[in-house]
Amino acid sequence: MSKMKPSTLRIGRRYRPNRLAAEYDAIVIGSGMGGLTTAALLSEVGWRVCVLEQHYTAGGYTHSYERNGYEWDVGLHYIGDVGAPTRTRKLFDFLSNGKLRWAPMDDEYDRFYVGDHVYSARAGKTGFRDNLVRQFPDEESAIDAYMELLKQVGGALSMFGMGRVMKPWMRTMAAPLLKWKTPEVMFQKTYDVLSALTDNQDLIAVICGQWGDMGVPPKQSPFMVHAMIARHYLYGGFYPVGGSWQIADSIIPKIQSGGGEVFTYAHVEKILVDDDEVRGVRMSDGHEIDCPVVISSAGVDNTFNRLLPDAVATSTGYKRSMENVRPSVGHLCLYIGLQKTAEDLGLPKTNFWIYPHNDYDKALADFVESDEAPFPVVYISFPSAKDPDYLNRHPGTTTIEIVAPAPYRLFEEWKGSTWGQRGEDYDALKDSLSRHLLAHLYDKLPQLEGEIDYYELSTPLSTEWFSAYQHGELYGLDHTPERLQQDWLTPKTRIDGLWLTGQDILTCGVTGAMMSGVLTVTAMLGMRRVSPLMKLIFG
Ligand SMILES: Cc1cc2nc3c(=O)[nH]c(=O)nc-3n(C[C@H](O)[C@H](O)[C@H](O)COP(=O)(O)OP(=O)(O)OC[C@H]3O[C@@H](n4cnc5c(N)ncnc54)[C@H](O)[C@@H]3O)c2cc1C
């Protein structure tokens, strides 16, 4: 393994108090997709917005980093719904002024290794359906019933979003309508909904083969989120041309053109509140920035458990509300570099999902309980193969990423230690986990043995260090049916001037976080003022 060199890929402007403008209309904490979308949309209607990001680069989970001549994304492996002028695509185009381009993955965008069997998901509504029927010829009617349910839930998803921006009294008034428009299956467990259609456990496993995209296995996850993800990728997977850092890089100019800025190394220590009204933020260097509007995209755990003064979080009931939700599972990622191209090595533009057997819930429970149990899921992505521009930036090389869940407790004893200096025991644990993950890679692609030039493993502590998720969470709050029904996870908070955005107020995923930005701006401006902007974006 070659020696570690620091990343050179940095987006955003380094924070210094003397670089701040005299006044801002709004401060956004966190430069992930939720924060950037909110800031860009407000800039579009004339607001001057200051985005404060604690990391050395902007983008949140869409950031990339470079080391030793390789480049990896950290939280974006594929996006759906951007191959046609959908709402998702129109919004990306608008935010990036048309600069973001999307490269399609292979027609087989996901491959599922379930025990000894291999299955796949293929692009296109008909292609997806026919491919499932080809793999399970006796299950045609169950598959068609499943496709019908996806359609029904799809129609109800926007109502769910609308419910989030309504004022409490409006929500109460609209409750019967919302209930009427909500299919019964929405908040039922995914497994329960599917087992009413079929008892073929392999078919259920294949349909739920993307459970890692939300981090909750089928016996615990809400069908709504399952359906949202399945629909999102129905027309295939896409990757941002030039790498996932292009997302922040192409949105920031919109924020700057409104007089705003995206600052990095800008760690917010506290949200300042006087008499239940926000008055700004205090940075960790002690500098205070006055502003009557603060939008937190730092996740609700950070917002209510760390950024808000304890007394305010308690008196407004948020400390109690936080008891109803829990963090999503922590994760490992093995970042790998090779000195040959994806073509030389025969790497596909397909994600691999590797499962020990078809009972995903049991596999996860076993893994959480015992250090001896196999990984419940191992996900392998080939980012450089998906990016048609990669070889222009890093000629003659390839990258691979392997993601797996990891209980935080395994790493807890090193909490608070410094990244890169956690000692021999920590390095030994990482080495052992890396070897386990590599064994999965070699099992599926034996031609890679002996070809790896560099690898490094991130743990939940690395995610805490760089992305400020306190338990190394994959997706912010856990996506349980109970979480989706928390009526306080809305853009508007109980504190005047404080707003929320990001994956916790809607759902995870880059698109989920982006849509949360639309919800937040809608709640802030009101339907009447936001309408012309929505018309401009969506037509
Ligand atoms: C390994 C992995 C793979 C994924 N793969 C995909 C995928 O293929 N497709 C997909 O659609 N989604 C994927 N996701 C999910 C997706 O990346 C996230 O759901 C989404 O990007 C979250 O956006 P966000 O804006 O809500 O939060 P984030 O992107 O996490 O942004 C929050 C930001 O707040 C900052 N912050 C926190 N505290 C402070 C503070 N005190 N001061 C200043 N800044 C602060 C953080 O540093 C962070 O940058 C993946 C996630 C992970 C972890």
Side-chain angles (χ1 to χ4, degrees):
M1 258 188 18
S2 31
K3 207 170 165 299
M4 260 184 357
K5 292 186 196 137
S7 175
T8 48
L9 187 55
R10 287 160 196 229
I11 315 292
R13 185 161 187 228
R14 195 178 179 128
Y15 158 77
R16 301 250 188 275
N18 62 6
R19 291 181 178 165
L20 294 165
E23 260 182 41
Y24 291 101
D25 298 310
I27 287 173
V28 173
I29 308 172
S31 68
M33 199 62 212
L36 288 181
T37 304
T38 307
L41 294 180
L42 289 175
S43 305
E44 186 66 28
V45 295
W47 291 43
R48 173 181 278 216
V49 186
C50 173
V51 180
L52 300 168
E53 169 56 54
Q54 57 86 34
H55 196 9
Y56 63 66
T57 187
Y61 269 159
T62 66
H63 84 266
S64 311
Y65 76 100
E66 277 178 330
R67 191 160 290 146
N68 290 23
Y70 301 105
E71 178 190 316
W72 297 276
D73 49 55
V74 305
L76 189 166
H77 300 129
Y78 63 148
I79 297 274
D81 231 11
V82 286
T86 57
R87 288 174 76 78
T88 303
R89 175 62 188 266
K90 285 179 181 172
L91 186 52
F92 272 122
D93 285 352
F94 182 82
L95 295 170
S96 70
N97 274 333
K99 294 219 170 65
L100 266 180
R101 289 179 302 130
W102 300 96
M105 291 168 62
D106 288 341
D107 188 47
E108 181 199 18
Y109 54 94
D110 276 327
R111 186 179 303 168
F112 310 111
Y113 295 90
V114 184
D116 296 333
H117 300 275
V118 187
Y119 302 100
S120 63
R122 287 194 173 270
K125 203 194 295 182
T126 314
F128 178 88
R129 181 247 174 223
D130 292 352
N131 181 53
L132 270 186
V133 173
R134 215 169 11 251
Q135 297 171 100
F136 298 94
D138 298 336
E139 296 289 337
E140 189 165 358
S141 56
I143 292 166
D144 283 334
Y146 167 67
M147 298 298 291
E148 181 53 35
L149 281 182
L150 288 189
K151 197 162 121 195
Q152 276 178 29
V153 173
L157 286 174
S158 47
M159 288 301 283
F160 176 78
M162 287 284 288
R164 299 263 132 162
V165 293
M166 285 176 181
K167 299 201 166 93
W169 65 267
M170 275 169 82
R171 218 175 310 139
T172 311
M173 296 257 298
L177 176 70
L178 290 173
K179 197 163 176 229
W180 179 59
K181 287 271 182 191
T182 304
E184 245 179 42
V185 292
M186 284 276 275
F187 301 113
Q188 289 175 6
K189 305 273 167 65
T190 307
Y191 183 84
D192 294 344
V193 174
L194 296 176
S195 54
L197 305 179
T198 177
D199 54 12
N200 186 320
Q201 299 305 306
D202 264 15
L203 173 59
I204 293 179
V206 173
I207 288 177
C208 297
Q210 299 163 331
W211 76 261
D213 283 334
M214 70 169 125
V216 187
K219 286 179 185 154
Q220 298 165 55
S221 67
F223 186 72
M224 177 193 129
V225 184
H226 163 86
M228 196 196 74
I229 291 169
R231 286 172 57 84
H232 181 65
Y233 292 114
L234 208 50
Y235 293 91
F238 294 80
Y239 192 80
V241 177
S244 70
W245 59 273
Q246 296 283 341
I247 293 183
D249 201 45
S250 63
I251 297 177
I252 290 174
K254 201 176 260 304
I255 299 166
Q256 290 167 331
S257 69
E261 188 53 278
V262 176
F263 289 108
T264 55
Y265 293 99
H267 184 264
V268 176
E269 191 181 75
K270 278 286 170 240
I271 297 171
L272 303 172
V273 181
D274 278 348
D275 297 329
D276 285 342
E277 267 182 42
V278 159
R279 71 165 173 84
V281 297
R282 185 168 59 241
M283 307 300 289
S284 54
D285 65 1
H287 186 79
E288 293 191 358
I289 311 176
D290 294 334
C291 190
V293 178
V294 172
I295 303 152
S296 177
S297 183
V300 297
D301 178 37
N302 281 326
T303 307
F304 297 128
N305 287 333
R306 271 158 223 97
L307 291 170
L308 260 192
D310 250 9
V312 178
T314 305
S315 66
T316 49
Y318 280 117
K319 283 274 178 199
R320 220 178 24 252
S321 300
M322 285 300 292
E323 288 166 14
N324 299 327
V325 290
R326 58 174 196 228
S328 57
V329 66
H331 74 285
L332 305 170
C333 184
L334 191 66
Y335 298 94
I336 301 170
L338 303 94
Q339 286 293 315
K340 280 189 182 165
T341 67
E343 197 181 1
D344 295 338
L345 295 163
L347 303 184
K349 296 178 210 162
T350 304
N351 305 315
F352 290 2
W353 298 87
I354 303 166
Y355 297 106
H357 49 72
N358 65 13
D359 189 341
Y360 301 158
D361 286 80
K362 180 172 180 332
L364 181 62
D366 290 349
F367 176 73
V368 169
E369 245 168 54
S370 156
D371 296 348
E372 305 304 314
F375 284 114
V377 50
V378 172
Y379 168 87
I380 307 181
S381 171
F382 307 99
S384 59
K386 296 174 194 171
D387 177 5
D389 187 58
Y390 188 83
L391 289 177
N392 296 330
R393 306 193 305 283
H394 305 279
T397 70
T398 301
T399 53
I400 299 174
E401 289 154 11
I402 311 183
V403 183
Y408 186 73
R409 65 167 169 78
L410 271 187
F411 304 92
E412 205 153 14
E413 65 178 283
W414 293 281
K415 187 175 173 61
S417 56
T418 303
W419 176 79
Q421 301 171 28
R422 294 195 165 114
E424 281 176 15
D425 289 351
Y426 180 75
D427 290 342
L429 174 61
K430 278 186 23 163
D431 203 46
S432 145
L433 292 165
S434 302
R435 284 171 200 286
H436 272 87
L437 294 173
L438 286 173
H440 282 282
L441 180 70
Y442 297 144
D443 181 49
K444 302 304 172 220
L445 297 168
Q447 72 271 30
L448 299 183
E449 231 165 321
E451 296 288 354
I452 289 178
D453 168 54
Y454 180 79
Y455 66 81
E456 62 181 27
L457 185 77
S458 78
T459 72
L461 293 184
S462 331
T463 304
E464 179 185 351
W465 184 265
F466 290 112
S467 301
Y469 282 99
Q470 305 300 319
H471 301 91
E473 297 95 299
L474 258 169
Y475 300 123
L477 296 178
D478 214 14
H479 286 64
T480 57
E482 296 73 33
R483 168 244 162 116
L484 292 180
Q485 293 174 88
Q486 299 296 312
D487 61 7
W488 54 278
L489 289 173
T490 54
K492 185 162 172 48
T493 71
R494 299 167 192 149
I495 298 147
D496 277 352
L498 177 64
W499 301 83
L500 300 176
T501 197
Q503 60 185 346
D504 285 349
I505 62 154
L506 195 57
T507 60
C508 69
V510 173
T511 305
M514 179 170 74
M515 291 302 175
S516 76
V518 175
L519 291 191
T520 300
V521 172
T522 304
M524 289 175 74
L525 300 181
M527 286 294 185
R528 198 172 49 82
R529 280 169 68 207
V530 90
S531 285
L533 178 62
M534 294 301 124
K535 229 179 180 154
L536 190 65
I537 302 170
F538 300 116

